[in-house]
Amino acid sequence: IVASAGQEAKMIALQPTSASQSSTILDADAGRALDGKPELTQWGDQSCTHTHDSYSDPRPWWKVLMGPTKVEFVRITARSDCCQDRLNGIQLYLTRADAQDWTAGRLCADTASAPWAPGETRDIE
């Protein structure tokens, strides 16, 4: 996640404990996405998160709490070994921490029309 303080934008390191997700399977908790290692794009690298399938978790989500921050963009990297299609249709919202519903925030991206390629990285503004 790239945020700005004043005029200078910089990458901010977030603690894995600041992340959560709707469900977890195979010990792939939400904090794995914040390990600072975007080059690790395969399941065996233990750098990917994983929620339950759509039958058990029909509306999966992942979130991170950052505190007051002006976000310039969010960088997302798809797995390169398989399953990049699981990112198709993701929506990125910036929402206040005290909001009752995360969709009350600003929709920054909806990737329904642009399929993800294996290992692809996107900067979502």
Side-chain angles (χ1 to χ4, degrees):
I1 297 175
V2 174
S4 64
Q7 298 296 324
E8 183 180 338
K10 62 177 182 162
M11 188 71 91
I12 56 173
L14 298 168
Q15 296 300 314
T17 55
S18 67
S20 61
Q21 59 193 27
S22 56
S23 62
T24 300
I25 192 169
L26 302 171
D27 294 325
D29 64 82
R32 285 185 173 192
L34 299 175
D35 64 5
K37 302 173 186 171
E39 71 281 3
L40 301 180
T41 62
Q42 296 191 9
W43 177 255
D45 296 330
Q46 298 185 352
S47 190
C48 302
T49 68
H50 200 321
T51 57
H52 283 276
D53 61 35
S54 59
Y55 297 106
S56 301
D57 190 358
R59 292 195 59 193
W61 53 262
W62 181 92
K63 72 177 179 178
V64 62
L65 298 176
M66 300 186 329
T69 306
K70 180 182 178 190
V71 175
E72 298 291 328
F73 64 87
V74 175
R75 181 168 289 152
I76 300 173
T77 301
R79 284 176 60 175
S80 62
D81 54 349
C82 79
C83 315
Q84 67 278 354
D85 60 310
R86 295 177 184 168
L87 290 176
N88 293 345
I90 64 167
Q91 295 178 324
L92 175 67
Y93 286 87
L94 293 180
T95 308
R96 294 177 48 98
D98 61 356
Q100 296 296 318
D101 180 7
W102 51 268
T103 62
R106 188 183 83 169
L107 177 62
C108 299
D110 186 339
T111 66
S113 62
W116 288 74
E120 178 183 0
T121 297
R122 294 185 189 176
D123 292 339
I124 315 270
E125 298 181 3

